[in-house]
Amino acid sequence: MESMRIILICGFFFPLAVPSCPNGWVTHNGNCYHFSHDVEDWTGAYTMCKILGGQLLELEDATESNFISSQVNISGKTYWIGLSDVNEEGTWVWMTSMTKLSVTNWSPGEPTATNGNHDIENCVVIYNKNGMWNDASCAHMNFYICETSDESSEIVG
């Protein structure tokens, strides 16, 4: 009986965190990720992520990049991320936060120009074959990855 009181008291004083990622999103290290089932051009992907309550993926560190790469490899799909050099050619920026790269995962030889024209490939995908990045035309249709914070709610009880 005494141990039962201790358990009840501990449950009352120590809140439990309940993941609050939207249904169908994947949780990892305090973030929620949505790997789309439909394809969009880059602008459509950017918009869809906002509609879904997130943003087009911005990778912040090697741990997150490795996790996303592993998920992409498992899926076998190619996904848009929120990286672009549309504002200034060759200056790659996360378009929601407008921050420059702190981590990269370019495929060997990337980013490249199509037929010598750098202006054609201003958006970035994560390849299904190796989880690495490639610049691509923003008009291509690809799957996309959205992210949002896992704002876990505390339940006291």
Coordinates of all heavy atoms in Angstrom, one line a residue, residues 11-101:
G11 N 3.6 10.4 -9.7 CA 2.8 10.7 -10.9 C 2.2 12.1 -10.8 O 2.0 12.7 -11.8
F12 N 1.8 12.5 -9.6 CA 1.2 13.8 -9.5 C 2.2 14.9 -9.6 O 2.0 15.9 -10.2 CB 0.5 13.9 -8.1 CG -0.2 15.2 -7.9 CD1 -1.3 15.5 -8.6 CD2 0.4 16.1 -7.0 CE1 -1.9 16.7 -8.4 CE2 -0.2 17.3 -6.8 CZ -1.4 17.6 -7.5
F13 N 3.4 14.7 -9.1 CA 4.4 15.8 -9.0 C 5.3 15.9 -10.2 O 5.9 16.9 -10.5 CB 5.2 15.7 -7.8 CG 4.5 16.1 -6.5 CD1 4.1 15.1 -5.6 CD2 4.1 17.4 -6.3 CE1 3.4 15.5 -4.5 CE2 3.4 17.8 -5.2 CZ 3.0 16.8 -4.3
F14 N 5.4 14.8 -11.0 CA 6.3 14.8 -12.1 C 5.5 14.6 -13.4 O 4.9 13.6 -13.7 CB 7.3 13.6 -12.0 CG 8.2 13.7 -10.8 CD1 8.0 12.9 -9.7 CD2 9.2 14.6 -10.8 CE1 8.8 13.0 -8.6 CE2 10.0 14.7 -9.7 CZ 9.8 13.9 -8.6
P15 N 5.4 15.7 -14.2 CA 4.5 15.7 -15.3 C 5.1 14.7 -16.4 O 6.3 14.5 -16.5 CB 4.6 17.1 -15.8 CG 5.8 17.8 -15.2 CD 6.0 17.0 -13.9
L16 N 4.3 14.2 -17.2 CA 4.6 13.3 -18.3 C 4.5 14.1 -19.6 O 3.6 14.8 -19.8 CB 3.7 12.1 -18.3 CG 3.6 11.2 -17.1 CD1 2.5 10.2 -17.2 CD2 5.0 10.6 -16.8
A17 N 5.5 13.9 -20.4 CA 5.5 14.6 -21.8 C 4.8 13.6 -22.7 O 5.1 12.5 -22.8 CB 6.9 14.9 -22.2
V18 N 3.9 14.2 -23.5 CA 3.1 13.4 -24.5 C 3.5 14.0 -25.8 O 3.3 15.2 -26.0 CB 1.6 13.4 -24.2 CG1 0.9 12.7 -25.3 CG2 1.3 12.9 -22.9
P19 N 4.0 13.2 -26.7 CA 4.4 13.7 -28.1 C 3.1 14.3 -28.7 O 2.0 13.8 -28.6 CB 4.8 12.5 -28.8 CG 5.2 11.5 -27.8 CD 4.3 11.8 -26.6
S20 N 3.3 15.5 -29.3 CA 2.2 16.2 -29.9 C 2.3 16.4 -31.4 O 1.8 17.3 -32.0 CB 2.0 17.5 -29.2 OG 3.1 18.3 -29.4
C21 N 3.1 15.5 -32.1 CA 3.2 15.6 -33.5 C 1.9 15.3 -34.2 O 1.2 14.4 -33.7 CB 4.3 14.6 -34.1 SG 6.0 15.1 -33.7
P22 N 1.6 16.0 -35.2 CA 0.3 15.7 -35.9 C 0.3 14.2 -36.4 O 1.4 13.6 -36.6 CB 0.4 16.6 -37.2 CG 1.3 17.7 -36.8 CD 2.3 17.1 -35.9
N23 N -0.9 13.6 -36.5 CA -1.0 12.2 -36.9 C -0.4 12.0 -38.2 O -0.5 12.8 -39.2 CB -2.5 11.9 -37.0 CG -2.8 10.4 -37.0 OD1 -1.9 9.6 -36.7 ND2 -4.0 10.0 -37.5
G24 N 0.4 11.0 -38.3 CA 1.1 10.6 -39.6 C 2.5 11.3 -39.7 O 3.2 11.0 -40.7
W25 N 2.9 12.1 -38.8 CA 4.2 12.7 -38.8 C 5.2 11.9 -38.0 O 4.8 11.2 -37.1 CB 4.2 14.2 -38.3 CG 3.4 15.1 -39.1 CD1 2.2 15.0 -39.6 CD2 3.9 16.4 -39.5 NE1 1.8 16.1 -40.4 CE2 2.9 17.0 -40.3 CE3 5.1 17.1 -39.3 CZ2 3.0 18.3 -40.9 CZ3 5.2 18.4 -39.9 CH2 4.2 19.0 -40.6
V26 N 6.5 12.0 -38.3 CA 7.5 11.2 -37.6 C 8.2 12.1 -36.6 O 8.5 13.2 -36.9 CB 8.5 10.7 -38.7 CG1 9.7 9.9 -38.0 CG2 7.9 9.8 -39.7
T27 N 8.4 11.6 -35.4 CA 9.1 12.4 -34.3 C 10.5 12.0 -34.3 O 10.9 10.8 -34.4 CB 8.4 12.0 -33.0 OG1 7.1 12.3 -33.0 CG2 9.1 12.8 -31.9
H28 N 11.4 13.0 -34.2 CA 12.8 12.8 -34.0 C 13.5 14.0 -33.3 O 13.4 15.1 -33.8 CB 13.5 12.5 -35.3 CG 15.0 12.3 -35.2 ND1 15.5 11.1 -34.6 CD2 16.0 13.1 -35.5 CE1 16.9 11.2 -34.7 NE2 17.2 12.4 -35.2
N29 N 14.1 13.8 -32.2 CA 14.8 14.8 -31.4 C 14.1 16.2 -31.3 O 14.6 17.2 -31.6 CB 16.2 15.1 -32.1 CG 17.2 14.0 -31.7 OD1 17.0 13.2 -30.9 ND2 18.4 14.1 -32.3
G30 N 12.9 16.1 -30.9 CA 12.1 17.3 -30.7 C 11.5 18.0 -31.9 O 10.9 19.1 -31.8
N31 N 11.5 17.3 -33.0 CA 10.9 17.8 -34.2 C 9.9 16.8 -34.8 O 10.1 15.6 -34.5 CB 11.9 18.1 -35.3 CG 12.7 19.4 -34.9 OD1 12.2 20.4 -34.5 ND2 14.0 19.3 -35.2
C32 N 9.0 17.3 -35.6 CA 8.0 16.4 -36.3 C 8.3 16.6 -37.8 O 8.5 17.7 -38.3 CB 6.6 16.8 -36.0 SG 6.2 16.9 -34.2
Y33 N 8.3 15.5 -38.5 CA 8.5 15.5 -39.9 C 7.4 14.8 -40.7 O 6.9 13.7 -40.3 CB 9.8 14.7 -40.3 CG 11.0 15.3 -39.5 CD1 11.5 14.8 -38.3 CD2 11.7 16.4 -40.1 CE1 12.5 15.4 -37.7 CE2 12.7 17.0 -39.4 CZ 13.2 16.5 -38.2 OH 14.2 17.0 -37.6
H34 N 7.0 15.4 -41.8 CA 6.0 14.9 -42.7 C 6.6 14.6 -44.0 O 7.1 15.5 -44.7 CB 4.8 15.9 -42.9 CG 3.9 15.5 -44.0 ND1 3.0 14.4 -43.8 CD2 3.6 16.0 -45.2 CE1 2.3 14.3 -44.9 NE2 2.7 15.2 -45.8
F35 N 6.6 13.3 -44.4 CA 7.2 12.9 -45.7 C 6.0 12.7 -46.6 O 5.1 11.8 -46.4 CB 7.9 11.6 -45.5 CG 9.2 11.7 -44.7 CD1 9.1 11.7 -43.3 CD2 10.4 11.9 -45.3 CE1 10.3 11.9 -42.6 CE2 11.6 12.1 -44.6 CZ 11.5 12.0 -43.2
S36 N 5.8 13.6 -47.6 CA 4.6 13.7 -48.4 C 4.3 12.4 -49.2 O 5.2 11.7 -49.5 CB 4.6 14.9 -49.3 OG 5.5 14.6 -50.4
H37 N 3.1 12.2 -49.5 CA 2.6 11.1 -50.3 C 2.2 11.6 -51.7 O 1.9 10.9 -52.6 CB 1.4 10.4 -49.7 CG 1.7 9.9 -48.3 ND1 2.5 8.8 -48.1 CD2 1.3 10.3 -47.1 CE1 2.6 8.6 -46.8 NE2 1.9 9.5 -46.2
D38 N 2.3 13.0 -51.9 CA 2.0 13.6 -53.2 C 3.2 14.4 -53.6 O 4.1 14.6 -52.9 CB 0.7 14.4 -53.1 CG 0.9 15.6 -52.2 OD1 1.5 15.5 -51.1 OD2 0.4 16.7 -52.5
V39 N 3.1 14.8 -54.9 CA 4.2 15.6 -55.5 C 3.8 17.0 -55.8 O 2.6 17.2 -56.0 CB 4.8 14.9 -56.7 CG1 5.5 13.6 -56.4 CG2 3.8 14.7 -57.8
E40 N 4.7 17.9 -55.7 CA 4.5 19.3 -56.0 C 5.7 19.9 -56.6 O 6.8 19.3 -56.4 CB 4.2 20.1 -54.7 CG 2.9 19.7 -53.9 CD 1.7 20.2 -54.5 OE1 1.7 21.1 -55.4 OE2 0.6 19.7 -54.1
D41 N 5.6 21.0 -57.3 CA 6.8 21.8 -57.6 C 7.3 22.4 -56.3 O 6.6 22.3 -55.3 CB 6.5 22.8 -58.7 CG 5.5 23.9 -58.3 OD1 5.2 24.0 -57.1 OD2 5.1 24.6 -59.2
W42 N 8.5 23.0 -56.3 CA 9.0 23.5 -55.1 C 8.1 24.5 -54.4 O 7.9 24.5 -53.2 CB 10.4 24.1 -55.3 CG 11.2 24.4 -54.1 CD1 12.0 23.6 -53.4 CD2 11.1 25.6 -53.3 NE1 12.5 24.2 -52.2 CE2 12.0 25.5 -52.2 CE3 10.4 26.8 -53.4 CZ2 12.1 26.5 -51.2 CZ3 10.6 27.8 -52.4 CH2 11.5 27.6 -51.4
T43 N 7.6 25.5 -55.1 CA 6.7 26.5 -54.5 C 5.4 25.8 -53.9 O 5.0 26.2 -52.9 CB 6.3 27.5 -55.6 OG1 7.5 28.1 -56.1 CG2 5.4 28.6 -55.0
G44 N 4.9 24.8 -54.6 CA 3.7 24.1 -54.1 C 4.1 23.4 -52.8 O 3.3 23.3 -51.9
A45 N 5.3 22.8 -52.8 CA 5.7 22.1 -51.6 C 5.9 23.1 -50.4 O 5.4 22.8 -49.3 CB 7.0 21.4 -51.8
Y46 N 6.4 24.2 -50.7 CA 6.6 25.3 -49.7 C 5.2 25.7 -49.1 O 5.1 25.8 -47.9 CB 7.3 26.5 -50.3 CG 7.7 27.6 -49.3 CD1 8.9 27.6 -48.7 CD2 6.8 28.6 -49.1 CE1 9.3 28.6 -47.8 CE2 7.2 29.7 -48.2 CZ 8.4 29.6 -47.6 OH 8.8 30.6 -46.7
T47 N 4.3 25.9 -50.0 CA 2.9 26.3 -49.6 C 2.2 25.1 -48.8 O 1.6 25.4 -47.8 CB 2.1 26.7 -50.8 OG1 2.8 27.7 -51.5 CG2 0.7 27.1 -50.5
M48 N 2.3 23.9 -49.3 CA 1.7 22.8 -48.6 C 2.2 22.6 -47.2 O 1.4 22.3 -46.3 CB 1.9 21.5 -49.4 CG 1.0 21.4 -50.6 SD -0.8 21.6 -50.3 CE -1.1 20.2 -49.2
C49 N 3.5 22.8 -47.0 CA 4.0 22.7 -45.6 C 3.4 23.7 -44.7 O 3.1 23.4 -43.6 CB 5.5 22.8 -45.7 SG 6.3 21.3 -46.3
K50 N 3.2 24.9 -45.2 CA 2.6 26.0 -44.4 C 1.1 25.6 -44.1 O 0.7 25.8 -43.0 CB 2.6 27.3 -45.1 CG 4.0 28.0 -45.1 CD 3.9 29.4 -45.7 CE 5.2 30.1 -45.5 NZ 5.3 30.7 -44.1
I51 N 0.4 25.1 -45.1 CA -1.0 24.7 -44.9 C -1.1 23.6 -43.8 O -2.0 23.6 -43.0 CB -1.6 24.2 -46.2 CG1 -1.8 25.4 -47.1 CG2 -2.9 23.5 -46.0 CD1 -2.2 25.0 -48.6
L52 N -0.1 22.7 -43.8 CA 0.0 21.6 -42.9 C 0.5 22.0 -41.5 O 0.5 21.2 -40.6 CB 0.8 20.4 -43.4 CG 0.3 19.7 -44.7 CD1 1.3 18.8 -45.2 CD2 -1.0 19.0 -44.3
G53 N 0.8 23.3 -41.3 CA 1.2 23.8 -40.0 C 2.7 23.7 -39.7 O 3.1 23.7 -38.6
G54 N 3.5 23.5 -40.8 CA 4.9 23.5 -40.6 C 5.7 24.3 -41.6 O 5.1 25.4 -42.1
Q55 N 6.8 23.9 -42.0 CA 7.6 24.6 -43.0 C 8.4 23.5 -43.8 O 8.6 22.4 -43.4 CB 8.6 25.6 -42.4 CG 9.7 24.9 -41.6 CD 10.7 25.8 -40.9 OE1 10.3 26.9 -40.5 NE2 11.9 25.5 -40.8
L56 N 8.8 23.9 -45.0 CA 9.6 23.0 -45.8 C 10.9 22.8 -45.0 O 11.5 23.8 -44.5 CB 9.9 23.6 -47.2 CG 10.3 22.7 -48.3 CD1 9.4 21.5 -48.5 CD2 10.3 23.5 -49.6
L57 N 11.4 21.6 -45.0 CA 12.5 21.2 -44.2 C 13.7 22.1 -44.3 O 14.2 22.4 -45.4 CB 12.9 19.7 -44.5 CG 14.1 19.2 -43.8 CD1 13.8 19.0 -42.3 CD2 14.5 17.8 -44.4
E58 N 14.3 22.5 -43.1 CA 15.6 23.1 -43.0 C 16.4 22.3 -42.0 O 16.1 22.1 -40.9 CB 15.4 24.5 -42.4 CG 14.6 25.5 -43.3 CD 14.6 26.9 -42.8 OE1 15.2 27.2 -41.7 OE2 13.9 27.7 -43.4
L59 N 17.5 21.8 -42.5 CA 18.4 21.0 -41.8 C 19.4 21.8 -41.0 O 20.1 22.7 -41.5 CB 19.2 20.0 -42.7 CG 18.3 19.0 -43.4 CD1 19.0 18.4 -44.6 CD2 17.8 18.0 -42.4
E60 N 19.5 21.6 -39.7 CA 20.2 22.4 -38.8 C 21.6 21.8 -38.3 O 22.5 22.5 -37.9 CB 19.4 22.8 -37.6 CG 18.2 23.6 -38.0 CD 17.2 23.8 -36.8 OE1 17.6 23.5 -35.7 OE2 16.1 24.3 -37.1
D61 N 21.7 20.5 -38.3 CA 22.9 19.9 -37.9 C 23.1 18.5 -38.5 O 22.2 18.0 -39.2 CB 23.0 19.8 -36.3 CG 21.8 19.0 -35.7 OD1 21.4 18.0 -36.3 OD2 21.3 19.4 -34.7
A62 N 24.2 17.9 -38.3 CA 24.6 16.6 -38.9 C 23.7 15.5 -38.4 O 23.3 14.6 -39.2 CB 26.0 16.2 -38.7
T63 N 23.3 15.5 -37.2 CA 22.4 14.5 -36.6 C 21.0 14.5 -37.3 O 20.5 13.4 -37.7 CB 22.2 14.7 -35.1 OG1 23.4 14.7 -34.4 CG2 21.2 13.7 -34.5
E64 N 20.5 15.7 -37.5 CA 19.2 15.8 -38.2 C 19.4 15.4 -39.7 O 18.5 14.6 -40.2 CB 18.7 17.2 -38.1 CG 17.3 17.4 -38.8 CD 16.8 18.8 -38.7 OE1 17.6 19.8 -38.6 OE2 15.6 19.0 -38.7
S65 N 20.5 15.8 -40.3 CA 20.7 15.4 -41.7 C 20.8 13.9 -41.9 O 20.3 13.4 -42.8 CB 22.0 16.1 -42.2 OG 22.2 15.8 -43.5
N66 N 21.5 13.3 -41.0 CA 21.7 11.8 -41.0 C 20.4 11.1 -40.9 O 20.1 10.1 -41.6 CB 22.7 11.3 -40.0 CG 24.1 11.7 -40.3 OD1 24.5 12.0 -41.4 ND2 24.9 11.8 -39.2
F67 N 19.5 11.6 -39.9 CA 18.2 11.0 -39.7 C 17.4 11.1 -41.0 O 16.8 10.2 -41.5 CB 17.5 11.7 -38.5 CG 16.0 11.3 -38.5 CD1 15.7 10.0 -38.0 CD2 15.1 12.2 -38.9 CE1 14.3 9.6 -38.0 CE2 13.7 11.8 -38.8 CZ 13.4 10.5 -38.4
I68 N 17.3 12.3 -41.6 CA 16.5 12.6 -42.8 C 17.0 11.7 -43.9 O 16.3 11.1 -44.6 CB 16.5 14.1 -43.1 CG1 15.8 14.9 -42.1 CG2 15.9 14.3 -44.5 CD1 14.3 14.5 -41.9
S69 N 18.4 11.7 -44.1 CA 18.9 10.8 -45.2 C 18.5 9.4 -45.0 O 18.2 8.7 -46.0 CB 20.5 11.0 -45.2 OG 20.8 12.3 -45.6
S70 N 18.6 8.9 -43.8 CA 18.2 7.5 -43.6 C 16.7 7.2 -43.9 O 16.4 6.2 -44.5 CB 18.5 7.0 -42.2 OG 17.6 7.6 -41.3
Q71 N 15.9 8.2 -43.6 CA 14.4 8.1 -43.9 C 14.2 8.1 -45.4 O 13.4 7.4 -46.0 CB 13.6 9.1 -43.2 CG 13.6 9.1 -41.7 CD 13.0 7.8 -41.2 OE1 11.9 7.4 -41.5 NE2 13.8 7.0 -40.4
V72 N 14.9 9.0 -46.1 CA 14.8 9.1 -47.5 C 15.3 7.8 -48.2 O 14.6 7.3 -49.2 CB 15.6 10.3 -48.1 CG1 15.7 10.3 -49.6 CG2 14.9 11.6 -47.6
N73 N 16.4 7.3 -47.7 CA 16.9 6.0 -48.3 C 15.8 4.9 -48.2 O 15.6 4.1 -49.1 CB 18.2 5.6 -47.7 CG 19.3 6.5 -48.1 OD1 19.3 7.1 -49.2 ND2 20.4 6.6 -47.3
I74 N 15.2 4.8 -47.0 CA 14.2 3.8 -46.8 C 13.0 4.0 -47.7 O 12.4 3.0 -48.3 CB 13.7 3.8 -45.3 CG1 14.8 3.4 -44.4 CG2 12.5 3.0 -45.1 CD1 14.6 3.6 -42.9
S75 N 12.6 5.2 -47.9 CA 11.4 5.5 -48.7 C 11.6 5.3 -50.2 O 10.6 4.9 -50.9 CB 10.9 7.0 -48.5 OG 11.8 7.8 -49.3
G76 N 12.8 5.5 -50.7 CA 13.1 5.3 -52.1 C 12.5 6.4 -53.0 O 12.4 6.3 -54.2
K77 N 12.2 7.6 -52.3 CA 11.7 8.7 -53.1 C 12.7 9.9 -53.0 O 13.6 9.9 -52.2 CB 10.4 9.2 -52.4 CG 9.3 8.1 -52.5 CD 8.0 8.6 -51.7 CE 7.0 7.5 -51.7 NZ 5.8 7.8 -50.9
T78 N 12.5 10.9 -53.9 CA 13.2 12.1 -53.9 C 12.4 13.2 -53.4 O 11.2 13.3 -53.8 CB 13.7 12.4 -55.3 OG1 14.6 11.4 -55.7 CG2 14.5 13.7 -55.4
Y79 N 12.9 14.0 -52.4 CA 12.1 15.0 -51.7 C 12.7 16.4 -51.9 O 13.9 16.6 -51.8 CB 12.1 14.7 -50.2 CG 11.4 13.4 -49.9 CD1 12.0 12.2 -49.8 CD2 10.0 13.4 -49.6 CE1 11.4 11.1 -49.5 CE2 9.3 12.3 -49.2 CZ 10.0 11.1 -49.2 OH 9.4 9.9 -48.8
W80 N 11.8 17.4 -52.0 CA 12.2 18.8 -51.9 C 12.5 19.1 -50.4 O 11.9 18.6 -49.5 CB 11.0 19.8 -52.2 CG 10.7 19.9 -53.7 CD1 9.5 19.6 -54.2 CD2 11.6 20.3 -54.7 NE1 9.6 19.8 -55.6 CE2 10.8 20.2 -55.9 CE3 12.9 20.7 -54.8 CZ2 11.4 20.6 -57.2 CZ3 13.4 21.0 -56.1 CH2 12.7 20.9 -57.2
I81 N 13.5 20.0 -50.2 CA 13.8 20.6 -48.9 C 13.8 22.1 -49.1 O 13.7 22.6 -50.2 CB 15.2 20.2 -48.3 CG1 16.3 20.5 -49.2 CG2 15.1 18.7 -48.0 CD1 17.7 20.1 -48.6
G82 N 13.8 22.9 -48.0 CA 13.6 24.3 -48.1 C 14.8 25.2 -48.5 O 14.9 26.3 -48.1
L83 N 15.7 24.6 -49.2 CA 17.0 25.3 -49.6 C 16.9 25.8 -51.0 O 16.5 25.1 -51.9 CB 18.1 24.4 -49.5 CG 19.6 24.9 -49.6 CD1 19.9 25.9 -48.5 CD2 20.6 23.7 -49.5
S84 N 17.3 27.1 -51.2 CA 17.3 27.7 -52.6 C 18.4 28.8 -52.7 O 18.8 29.4 -51.7 CB 15.9 28.3 -52.8 OG 15.9 28.9 -54.1
D85 N 18.8 29.0 -54.0 CA 19.6 30.1 -54.3 C 19.0 31.1 -55.2 O 19.6 31.8 -56.0 CB 21.0 29.7 -54.8 CG 21.0 29.2 -56.2 OD1 19.9 28.8 -56.7 OD2 22.1 29.1 -56.8
V86 N 17.6 31.1 -55.2 CA 16.8 31.9 -56.1 C 17.1 33.4 -55.9 O 17.1 34.2 -56.9 CB 15.3 31.6 -56.0 CG1 14.7 32.1 -54.7 CG2 14.6 32.1 -57.2
N87 N 17.4 33.9 -54.7 CA 17.7 35.3 -54.4 C 19.0 35.7 -55.0 O 19.1 36.8 -55.5 CB 17.6 35.6 -52.9 CG 16.2 35.5 -52.4 OD1 15.2 35.7 -53.2 ND2 16.1 35.3 -51.1
E88 N 20.0 34.9 -54.8 CA 21.4 35.2 -55.3 C 22.1 33.9 -55.7 O 22.3 33.0 -54.9 CB 22.2 35.9 -54.2 CG 23.6 36.3 -54.6 CD 24.4 36.9 -53.5 OE1 23.8 37.4 -52.5 OE2 25.6 36.9 -53.6
E89 N 22.4 33.8 -57.0 CA 23.0 32.6 -57.6 C 24.2 32.2 -56.8 O 25.1 33.0 -56.6 CB 23.3 32.8 -59.0 CG 23.8 31.6 -59.7 CD 22.8 30.5 -59.7 OE1 21.6 30.7 -59.9 OE2 23.3 29.3 -59.4
G90 N 24.2 31.0 -56.3 CA 25.4 30.4 -55.6 C 25.3 30.6 -54.1 O 26.2 30.1 -53.4
T91 N 24.4 31.4 -53.6 CA 24.3 31.7 -52.2 C 23.0 30.9 -51.7 O 21.9 31.3 -51.9 CB 24.1 33.2 -51.9 OG1 25.3 33.9 -52.3 CG2 24.0 33.4 -50.4
W92 N 23.3 29.7 -51.1 CA 22.2 28.8 -50.7 C 21.7 29.2 -49.4 O 22.4 29.3 -48.4 CB 22.7 27.4 -50.8 CG 23.1 27.0 -52.2 CD1 24.3 27.0 -52.7 CD2 22.2 26.5 -53.2 NE1 24.2 26.6 -54.0 CE2 22.9 26.3 -54.3 CE3 20.8 26.3 -53.2 CZ2 22.4 25.8 -55.5 CZ3 20.2 25.9 -54.4 CH2 21.0 25.6 -55.5
V93 N 20.4 29.4 -49.3 CA 19.7 30.0 -48.1 C 18.5 29.1 -47.8 O 17.7 28.7 -48.7 CB 19.3 31.4 -48.3 CG1 18.5 32.0 -47.2 CG2 20.5 32.3 -48.6
W94 N 18.3 28.8 -46.5 CA 17.0 28.2 -46.1 C 15.9 29.3 -46.2 O 16.0 30.3 -45.5 CB 17.1 27.7 -44.6 CG 18.1 26.6 -44.5 CD1 19.3 26.7 -43.8 CD2 18.1 25.3 -45.0 NE1 20.0 25.5 -43.9 CE2 19.3 24.6 -44.6 CE3 17.2 24.6 -45.8 CZ2 19.5 23.3 -45.0 CZ3 17.4 23.3 -46.2 CH2 18.6 22.7 -45.8
M95 N 14.9 29.0 -47.0 CA 14.0 30.1 -47.4 C 13.0 30.5 -46.4 O 12.5 31.7 -46.4 CB 13.3 29.7 -48.7 CG 14.2 29.6 -49.9 SD 15.2 31.1 -50.2 CE 14.0 32.2 -50.9
T96 N 12.7 29.7 -45.4 CA 11.8 30.2 -44.3 C 12.5 31.1 -43.3 O 12.0 32.1 -43.0 CB 11.1 29.0 -43.6 OG1 10.4 28.2 -44.6 CG2 10.2 29.4 -42.5
S97 N 13.7 30.6 -42.9 CA 14.4 31.4 -41.8 C 15.4 32.4 -42.5 O 15.9 33.3 -41.8 CB 15.2 30.4 -41.0 OG 16.2 29.8 -41.7
M98 N 15.6 32.3 -43.8 CA 16.6 33.1 -44.5 C 18.0 33.0 -43.9 O 18.7 34.0 -43.9 CB 16.1 34.6 -44.5 CG 14.8 34.8 -45.3 SD 14.7 34.1 -46.9 CE 15.8 35.1 -47.8
T99 N 18.4 31.9 -43.4 CA 19.7 31.6 -42.9 C 20.5 30.9 -43.9 O 20.0 30.1 -44.6 CB 19.7 30.9 -41.5 OG1 19.0 29.6 -41.7 CG2 19.0 31.7 -40.5
K100 N 21.8 31.2 -43.9 CA 22.8 30.5 -44.8 C 23.1 29.1 -44.2 O 22.8 28.8 -43.0 CB 24.0 31.3 -45.0 CG 23.8 32.5 -45.7 CD 25.1 33.3 -46.0 CE 24.8 34.6 -46.8 NZ 26.0 35.3 -47.0
L101 N 23.6 28.2 -45.0 CA 23.9 26.9 -44.6 C 24.9 26.8 -43.5 O 25.9 27.5 -43.4 CB 24.5 26.1 -45.8 CG 23.6 25.8 -47.0 CD1 24.5 25.2 -48.1 CD2 22.5 24.9 -46.6

